[in-house]
Amino acid sequence: MRRFSVKRHLRNTLHSYWMIICLILLIIIPILLGIGLYLKSKMLLDNHPLYQLLFSSEWKPLSGKFGFLSFIISSLWVTILALLISGPICLLTSIHLTQYAKKRVLRLMHPVIDILAGIPSVIYGVWGILVIVPFISDYLAPMMGKQTTGFSILAGALVLSVMIIPFMLNILIEVFSTIPEELSEASLSLGATKWQTIKFVLLKKAFPGIISALGLGLSRAFGETIAVLMVVGNVTTIPKGLFQPGYPLPALIANNYGEMLSIPMYDSALMLAALVLFVIIIFFNFASRIAIINIEKND
Amino acid sequence: MLQQFRHTEEKIFRIIMFLSTSVIILALALIIFSVLYKGLPSLSWEMISQKPKGGFYFGKEGGILNAIVGSLYLAIGSTFLAFIIGLPVALYMNIHLVKRKKLANTLRFFLDVMWGVPSIVYGAFGFTLMIFFGIKTSLLAGIITVTLFIIPIMVRAMDEVLKTIPMGLQEASLSLGSTKSETAYRVFFRQAYSGMVTAILLSFGRAIGDAAAVLFTTGYTDNIPTGLNQPTATLPLSIFFQLGSPLEEVRDRAFASAVVLTFIILVISILARFFSRRYQKHKINF
């Protein structure tokens, strides 16, 4: 009897240690990630000042010139454009689903959101090539009096805007459903219409949540690689319009892995690109999550 | 007059809101429809059941069996690893840290932030790890990279399930004399069983669909890997490479491969739905 209990407690101790080991492992991963990427990009950083790398648009790896500006601008273009397209759609949909729609519609939307979130980015890329790119080159661009192959900033942004819908929509639905019911009841009982209540009370209350949902959508969009790479054109110039090709930062990393080791400092430059991406996204995630936590705390 | 304006405004907005909801549903339908429409005609049994033969990428015979099997190996391996490391962490957060809400919430926050890190960054990190340890591009390197990428997803999904288990269950189990680890693995794990399956399926879906994380690390081959140290083809990369071909035949195959991948993902998400439904049904309400 006693031996049995000793065995059980030994097992308990072992399990607890294993749990803690796993936990520590999990915590050091991102730290290692940051350090690893930094060490790899250190070679480049030692030779070039950081601001020159970030704010020069000269990208000539063969002659040792690594300026990330055109990639960063391309990334910003597609990201912001994608947010402008899908931000309002997500906001309106989340209001519709939480305030007006029947429970049945919300139940129908859940699998839609799940599947949208689950579709691999390659499939989004395939869709972009099949639908978005021809649409832009055959219809949209001629309508605006422009000529393009369709592989453009706009194509990247359109594909991205669909990809980030599930993430933003999920959070927005959450935000709107955590707002206490009494708030809108009070407003309604004062004689406001439903829409006025939404416009003046709910939106105001949900404002920080909306901003952080957009922040999370932004960090998703900024880091998305394969789908954007497939439709955005990948030309190393600073894009000047929606119909011009661009070359976002993640696409740069993904596209050049083949020749990474054959050109001096090229791998270092690509790892720096990854590090920049990591830092930017951690920052946006961090800020958005903190905002969301604060909202939950206040209620 | 003003009253009427208000009502028109509300009506207009309700229409816009309804439209935007429909746009999202339509977008999903359009994606699935266009992939199927373009891919199904080129899909054949030969494509699924054969490895690429010589000259496959120039439009000759063969199929993508290597990529399908490679993707499955990679996803199974990394989901398994992530499960082994993730389950203890999720249980720890909900059993040992149940009294220390602040610490648990900090961990959740931390995992959520990790979830946001794009897969290409994990891919680049996997590459630096590979160079550091002197491993070649292989199935193992890919599994490790993908594991890093899906662990936060796995732990958070499990955590969401475990969070719903009421405190009373733990107290009851402990008061009957079981140890904390017994409570964790025999009571909590069992109570959350179908939710756990959902979490695993979710991570599996992520692992099988991601291309950027494995771009640097798995290598690419026409063969089915027989060991962990061999390079592996994956389905997303196979689609990506075939699409880059100038030959229309090969591109059509890419669309057919996309149908295969979409099918796998749809099956996974239907299964995940099914299991999470079951979980809802069998939940004990205290």
Side-chain angles (χ1 to χ4, degrees), chain A residues 122 225-226 229 250-258 260, chain B residues 74 119-120 122-124 127 130 137 141-142 145-146 210-220 232 234 236-238 240-241:
Chain A
V122 166
T225 314
I226 297 290
L229 180 158
L252 168 76
I253 306 172
N255 254 342
N256 295 293
Y257 70 100
M260 193 149 58
Chain B
L74 185 78
S119 57
I120 186 84
Y122 284 106
F127 174 75
M130 249 169 52
T137 54
T145 312
V146 176
D210 196 76
V214 295
L215 201 54
F216 302 115
T217 43
T218 51
Y220 196 82
T232 309
T234 66
L237 281 186
S238 152
F240 182 58
F241 290 146

Side-chain angles (χ1 to χ4, degrees), chain B residues 6-186:
Chain B
R6 275 182 197 155
H7 283 287
T8 349
E9 189 193 349
E10 173 156 11
K11 256 187 201 147
I12 292 171
F13 267 93
R14 283 193 70 162
I15 291 168
I16 298 177
M17 284 191 282
F18 177 75
L19 284 180
S20 71
T21 310
S22 326
V23 161
I24 293 177
I25 298 176
L26 279 180
L28 178 65
L30 182 64
I31 290 169
I32 293 177
F33 173 76
S34 59
V35 169
L36 291 183
Y37 180 77
K38 187 78 182 158
L40 273 181
S42 342
L43 189 65
S44 61
W45 178 242
E46 187 199 349
M47 261 204 69
I48 307 175
S49 61
Q50 287 182 10
K51 289 194 299 183
K53 295 189 176 134
F56 175 68
Y57 293 96
F58 303 105
K60 298 251 178 63
E61 295 197 336
I64 50 160
L65 184 67
N66 63 327
I68 298 175
V69 175
S71 267
L72 287 178
Y73 280 171
L74 185 78
I76 292 171
S78 52
T79 310
F80 179 69
L81 257 186
F83 181 71
I84 290 179
I85 301 171
L87 180 65
V89 176
L91 288 172
Y92 189 82
M93 277 161 64
N94 285 287
I95 296 200
H96 292 73
L97 295 182
V98 81
K99 292 257 166 58
R100 304 177 66 183
K101 278 258 150 52
K102 218 169 186 179
L103 188 57
N105 281 334
T106 313
L107 274 173
R108 281 180 189 127
F109 173 76
F110 175 84
L111 286 166
D112 282 343
V113 172
M114 259 179 89
W115 187 344
V117 174
S119 57
I120 186 84
V121 173
Y122 284 106
F125 176 61
F127 174 75
T128 61
L129 272 187
M130 249 169 52
I131 293 196
F132 185 76
F133 288 110
I135 322 173
K136 279 202 209 116
T137 54
S138 59
L139 183 57
L140 180 68
I143 287 179
I144 292 173
T145 312
V146 176
T147 304
L148 297 180
F149 166 59
I150 62 173
I151 275 186
I153 302 169
M154 174 92 85
V155 177
R156 278 300 273 135
M158 287 179 171
D159 177 47
E160 286 299 323
V161 182
L162 290 172
K163 250 195 330 198
T164 59
I165 297 178
M167 266 290 276
L169 200 62
Q170 184 182 357
E171 282 160 5
S173 165
L174 290 177
S175 68
L176 285 174
S178 55
T179 62
K180 275 195 171 174
S181 74
E182 280 164 347
T183 311
Y185 288 99
R186 299 213 175 138

Side-chain angles (χ1 to χ4, degrees), chain A residues 98-150:
Chain A
T98 52
Q99 308 299 322
Y100 288 106
K102 296 198 178 85
K103 276 259 152 56
R104 197 151 26 98
V105 183
L106 190 61
R107 233 180 291 145
L108 173 77
M109 272 315 264
H110 274 305
V112 171
I113 296 174
D114 280 357
I115 295 174
L116 273 178
I119 291 179
S121 54
V122 166
I123 301 293
Y124 278 105
V126 167
W127 174 65
I129 289 177
L130 282 178
V131 179
I132 301 288
V133 169
F135 171 71
I136 290 177
S137 69
D138 297 346
Y139 298 101
L140 207 59
M143 233 160 65
M144 306 273 185
K146 303 224 161 111
Q147 260 207 327
T148 170
T149 53

Side-chain angles (χ1 to χ4, degrees), chain A residues 2 10 32-33 43-44 47 64 88 90 116 134 143 217 236 287:
Chain A
R2 190 170 152 67
L10 183 67
L32 273 182
L33 211 158
M43 201 162 67
L44 187 72
N47 290 313
C90 287
L116 273 178
M143 233 160 65
T236 323

Side-chain angles (χ1 to χ4, degrees), chain A residues 2-297:
Chain A
R2 190 170 152 67
R3 234 177 55 216
F4 183 66
S5 119
V6 166
K7 210 170 126 196
R8 278 176 61 204
H9 281 280
L10 183 67
R11 198 188 294 154
N12 185 37
T13 322
L14 285 179
H15 272 307
S16 301
Y17 277 126
W18 176 238
M19 283 174 171
I20 292 175
I21 288 171
C22 289
L23 188 65
I24 291 172
L25 201 70
L26 204 69
I27 292 174
I28 58 171
I29 287 172
I31 299 169
L32 273 182
L33 211 158
I35 294 175
L37 291 179
Y38 174 71
L39 287 180
K40 285 298 281 183
S41 49
K42 199 169 179 299
M43 201 162 67
L44 187 72
L45 286 168
D46 283 346
N47 290 313
H48 305 271
L50 183 64
Y51 70 87
Q52 193 194 326
L53 289 169
L54 293 184
F55 297 112
S56 145
S57 62
E58 210 171 356
W59 181 261
K60 286 180 188 133
L62 281 171
S63 45
K65 283 179 179 145
F66 299 100
F68 285 112
L69 189 66
S70 49
F71 305 107
I72 294 174
I73 302 247
S74 287
S75 275
L76 288 177
W77 264 102
V78 285
T79 305
I80 291 170
L81 209 56
L83 273 186
L84 285 179
I85 297 168
S86 71
I89 291 183
C90 287
L91 185 58
L92 289 167
T93 305
S94 60
I95 295 175
H96 177 72
L97 290 176
T98 52
Q99 308 299 322
Y100 288 106
K102 296 198 178 85
K103 276 259 152 56
R104 197 151 26 98
V105 183
L106 190 61
R107 233 180 291 145
L108 173 77
M109 272 315 264
H110 274 305
V112 171
I113 296 174
D114 280 357
I115 295 174
L116 273 178
I119 291 179
S121 54
V122 166
I123 301 293
Y124 278 105
V126 167
W127 174 65
I129 289 177
L130 282 178
V131 179
I132 301 288
V133 169
F135 171 71
I136 290 177
S137 69
D138 297 346
Y139 298 101
L140 207 59
M143 233 160 65
M144 306 273 185
K146 303 224 161 111
Q147 260 207 327
T148 170
T149 53
F151 291 92
S152 56
I153 294 278
L154 184 62
L158 280 172
V159 171
L160 259 188
S161 64
V162 181
M163 293 185 76
I164 59 177
I165 281 176
F167 300 99
M168 297 203 296
L169 195 55
N170 253 339
I171 291 162
L172 284 173
I173 290 176
E174 191 90 347
V175 165
F176 279 111
S177 29
T178 53
I179 293 175
E181 199 108 331
E182 295 84 39
L183 214 61
S184 44
E185 275 166 11
S187 163
L188 288 173
S189 67
L190 285 176
T193 62
K194 180 109 183 163
W195 175 246
Q196 281 175 322
T197 308
I198 291 168
K199 204 164 66 170
F200 297 114
V201 181
L202 283 187
L203 278 184
K204 200 169 173 192
K205 184 78 179 156
F207 185 71
I210 294 167
I211 294 296
S212 35
L214 289 180
L216 288 179
L218 188 144
S219 65
R220 271 285 143 187
F222 207 80
E224 182 43 51
T225 314
I226 297 290
V228 182
L229 180 158
M230 285 163 83
V231 296
V232 84
N234 303 324
V235 177
T236 323
T237 47
I238 296 183
K240 293 192 182 63
L242 294 184
F243 294 105
Q244 291 201 341
Y247 205 159
L249 212 48
L252 168 76
I253 306 172
N255 254 342
N256 295 293
Y257 70 100
E259 53 226 274
M260 193 149 58
L261 293 172
S262 51
I263 301 169
M265 298 233 268
Y266 205 10
D267 61 327
S268 191
L270 293 185
M271 292 306 145
L272 179 64
L275 185 64
V276 170
L277 212 56
F278 179 66
V279 170
I280 292 175
I281 282 164
I282 288 278
F283 170 75
F284 272 109
N285 252 293
F286 203 77
S288 310
R289 296 275 177 203
I290 283 184
I292 290 178
I293 286 173
N294 280 336
I295 298 164
E296 280 166 4
K297 237 184 246 162

